[in-house]
Amino acid sequence: MIHEAGGLAVLAHPMEQRRLNETFEEFEPRLYWILDRILAYGIDGLECHHPSADPYQQELLVAYAKEHGLMITTGSDFHTLYDKRDFKRYHRP
């Protein structure tokens, strides 16, 4: 439906798919299962830069996006008083 409407489908904050009290080590295999499954549905991008992902996790997400030719995004709603928006981070690899 997103594509039919002319949009791009992006999986937002994938790290928030973790279950309550699930460690990253427990979640990581399931994360890749989720990403592979959503990729099969024709996703266009992955939100790699979000406060729910630490720097290491962001690197993993960026690597996955690059490997699969996905657009790399960051949160766009900016939950801060500092309002410097760097839209150059929204790009296709």
Side-chain angles (χ1 to χ4, degrees):
M1 290 175 57
I2 294 170
H3 293 139
E4 289 175 11
L8 296 172
V10 176
L11 178 62
H13 37 74
M15 296 309 300
E16 290 190 1
Q17 298 301 311
R18 284 171 60 176
R19 295 181 178 129
L20 187 62
N21 299 320
E22 183 177 34
T23 67
F24 179 69
E25 291 73 25
E26 295 167 331
F27 173 60
E28 188 173 10
R30 198 165 60 77
L31 169 65
Y32 286 111
W33 179 85
I34 292 167
L35 295 176
D36 290 344
R37 186 156 185 163
I38 202 88
L39 182 67
Y41 285 117
I43 194 146
D44 301 298
L46 183 60
E47 184 180 39
C48 298
H49 304 287
H50 184 268
S52 64
D54 67 28
Y56 172 75
Q57 294 161 350
Q58 290 180 35
E59 288 178 23
L60 291 178
L61 294 170
V62 167
Y64 184 93
K66 286 182 177 181
E67 179 180 340
H68 297 321
L70 298 174
M71 178 174 49
I72 297 167
T73 70
T74 186
S76 62
D77 47 352
F78 294 87
H79 295 269
T80 180
L81 295 177
Y82 182 67
D83 194 33
K84 183 178 179 189
R85 299 178 182 182
D86 182 8
F87 291 104
K88 292 178 294 209
R89 294 179 74 182
Y90 295 83
H91 67 282
R92 288 193 177 272

